[in-house]
Amino acid sequence: MEIISYVGVKGGNRSFKMPLTLRRREKKNILSYTTSTSRYAFSAAPVRSRITLHAFLVGIAHAVDKTVARWKTACAIIAALFALAGIAAAVSYAANHTGPLALSGTSELEALDNMMASFASGNALYYNESGDLLGSEKSAGEMAALLKKPVTYQTYTVQAGDTLGGITRKFELTNLSTIIAINNIKNARSLYVGQKLRIPSIDGMLYTVAPGNSLNGISVKFNIPLEDLLDVNDLGTNVLTVGQQLFIPGAKMNSDALHEVLGDLFKNPITAKHHVSSPFGWRPDPFTGVRSYHTGIDFACAKGTPIHASMAGKVIFAGWSNIFGNYVILSHANGYQTLYGHMDKIQVKKGENVTQATVIGLVGSTGYSTGDHLHFTVYKNGKLVNPATVLK
């Protein structure tokens, strides 16, 4: 800056007026002037305006304007970052949830089918719906011979590694319900080493005579020839007494009661409030709308709802999948496996034995999912089964 003015200067005992050239030194508030004979310098104090209410309010307004401008800029930057993150998430989601989902060179569902088939190979079907052991049937002649002899009993002490099926075969019986009924077993998996079991010489069940019962009526009720009842129970008379126990050869437990004891009677894995949001079978894909095959039943319910094992069994997989998110596979008796998908949390580990009271995880929406729900799939011998046909 250059200022031309006339100023009065006192120097020693003299004063004079002269044209001055004033220059301001940057950042130091120092003014200098030069004459033809000398160079002078002096400092200048900053000029302060008088404080008034108007000036104060104007100053506040300017400060607010600057603050708002800064916030607008910051918000615009944050919004842009969120938009970029959203675009990245959408691209990632599309890459993971549309089109074929690869797993070791094959589709994930195909890999799951192969895995289920391998699990089934070590858990083959060994009894039918009535509890008859496969491959242990007796001929008509063998059965006739057994029915002519009085039933006898022996005591067996359970050994390490014993199973109900193994003990049944060991004593040449053919139906699982025989040992269960005679020993009043409530849970076939509760056998323990050292437990004493009463083993009959022939398949059948005990019946306690009630008031009004007759031998002929019991014969008709169980479709057993009267002579067989007399021979097997070594009876010399048709007279019965209330409370008397008769052995009914060939009698079997009710199917539901038997399978409940065996632990292969399916129960709904969700006991809390829920509804079926998607059944088994063909449906439009929830993301793409493309017709696709739904491999299980979806139970919609609140996040964090406990998920129980539908049937007693063993955890053979607990982990992550792009389709099922956090999921668990259980292996059960008689060739069954069940899958529980989209869990928020898994609460069991591979190799763990579970019962229908075990909470194996919590409902969530992980993997290929549109909301909180449990995806429940049932396999038998490695093949898909409609869960609605086995759930009681």
Side-chain angles (χ1 to χ4, degrees):
M1 174 180 73
E2 193 170 282
I3 304 174
I4 307 299
S5 69
Y6 289 92
V7 298
V9 179
K10 291 185 179 182
N13 296 321
R14 51 201 177 107
S15 64
F16 52 86
K17 290 183 178 180
M18 62 188 71
L20 298 176
T21 300
L22 300 180
R23 290 183 176 84
R24 180 179 183 276
R25 297 179 189 174
E26 293 296 327
K27 300 182 181 179
K28 294 184 179 180
N29 289 329
I30 301 297
L31 297 180
S32 66
Y33 67 90
T34 305
T35 68
S36 59
T37 59
S38 304
R39 178 180 178 87
Y40 297 85
F42 59 92
S43 61
V47 178
R48 296 180 180 177
S49 60
R50 294 177 61 190
I51 298 176
T52 64
L53 178 61
H54 177 269
F56 177 72
L57 295 176
V58 169
I60 290 177
H62 283 310
V64 170
D65 286 343
K66 288 181 180 179
T67 301
V68 170
R70 290 191 186 103
W71 273 105
K72 285 182 177 178
T73 302
C75 289
I77 293 172
I78 292 172
L81 291 175
F82 271 110
L84 290 174
I87 292 171
V91 170
S92 174
Y93 189 87
N96 286 289
H97 294 292
T98 57
L101 301 177
L103 182 70
S104 303
T106 183
S107 79
E108 194 154 356
L109 286 175
E110 287 178 301
L112 181 63
D113 285 341
N114 293 335
M115 184 166 61
M116 287 295 194
S118 68
F119 291 154
S121 64
N123 188 23
L125 177 72
Y126 73 92
Y127 61 89
N128 62 20
E129 293 301 310
S130 298
D132 295 319
L133 295 180
L134 302 182
S136 63
E137 299 84 358
K138 285 184 168 59
S139 67
E142 289 175 313
M143 284 301 300
L146 288 171
L147 291 172
K148 296 303 179 185
K149 299 176 183 178
V151 62
T152 58
Y153 297 91
Q154 55 185 307
T155 300
Y156 177 73
T157 303
V158 177
Q159 307 295 315
D162 273 343
T163 63
L164 186 63
I167 296 171
T168 301
R169 287 188 188 277
K170 186 184 194 75
F171 289 93
E172 298 183 353
L173 299 174
T174 63
N175 191 278
L176 296 173
S177 64
T178 296
I179 294 177
I180 291 173
I182 295 296
N183 293 278
N184 196 28
I185 295 172
K186 301 300 183 184
N187 183 347
R189 290 177 174 78
S190 67
L191 294 180
Y192 57 90
V193 174
Q195 182 177 0
K196 304 293 184 181
L197 297 178
R198 190 182 182 203
I199 312 293
S201 57
I202 187 173
D203 283 291
M205 296 171 56
L206 289 174
Y207 177 78
T208 302
V209 176
N213 281 162
S214 68
L215 199 61
N216 189 62
I218 295 173
S219 171
V220 172
K221 180 177 181 177
F222 290 100
N223 194 27
I224 303 293
L226 183 59
E227 290 126 358
D228 290 345
L229 275 177
L230 291 168
D231 290 340
V232 167
N233 289 280
D234 197 21
L235 297 176
T237 176
N238 290 352
V239 178
L240 301 177
T241 58
V242 174
Q244 180 181 354
Q245 283 196 322
L246 297 178
F247 187 84
I248 312 299
K252 302 174 183 179
M253 294 174 62
N254 170 275
S255 180
D256 284 349
L258 170 64
H259 288 284
E260 186 168 8
V261 173
L262 293 174
D264 61 7
L265 183 66
F266 284 92
K267 292 185 178 179
N268 196 314
I270 301 293
T271 58
K273 184 178 180 181
H274 67 278
H275 69 276
V276 175
S277 57
S278 185
F280 178 85
W282 289 101
R283 67 168 187 177
D285 183 276
F287 287 99
T288 66
V290 176
R291 189 170 182 261
S292 59
Y293 198 80
H294 191 221
T295 60
I297 289 179
D298 288 347
F299 298 102
C301 49
K303 181 179 180 179
T305 298
I307 302 167
H308 294 84
S310 182
M311 187 164 63
K314 185 175 183 178
V315 180
I316 50 178
F317 184 88
W320 171 266
S321 155
N322 285 338
I323 292 178
F324 297 113
N326 292 318
Y327 76 111
V328 167
I329 298 175
L330 303 180
S331 176
H332 312 281
N334 221 24
Y336 282 107
Q337 301 93 35
T338 52
L339 179 148
Y340 310 77
H342 308 304
M343 293 182 178
D344 182 55
K345 292 181 180 178
I346 295 173
Q347 296 194 320
V348 290
K349 295 179 180 179
K350 183 179 178 180
E352 185 176 340
N353 291 312
V354 298
T355 69
Q356 290 176 319
T358 304
V359 175
I360 62 174
L362 304 177
V363 169
S365 185
T366 55
Y368 194 75
S369 170
T370 57
D372 295 321
H373 73 286
L374 167 68
H375 173 89
F376 178 62
T377 295
V378 177
Y379 283 80
K380 184 166 186 178
N381 299 320
K383 303 296 182 183
L384 275 173
V385 173
N386 183 351
T389 63
V390 297
L391 286 175
K392 302 293 183 180

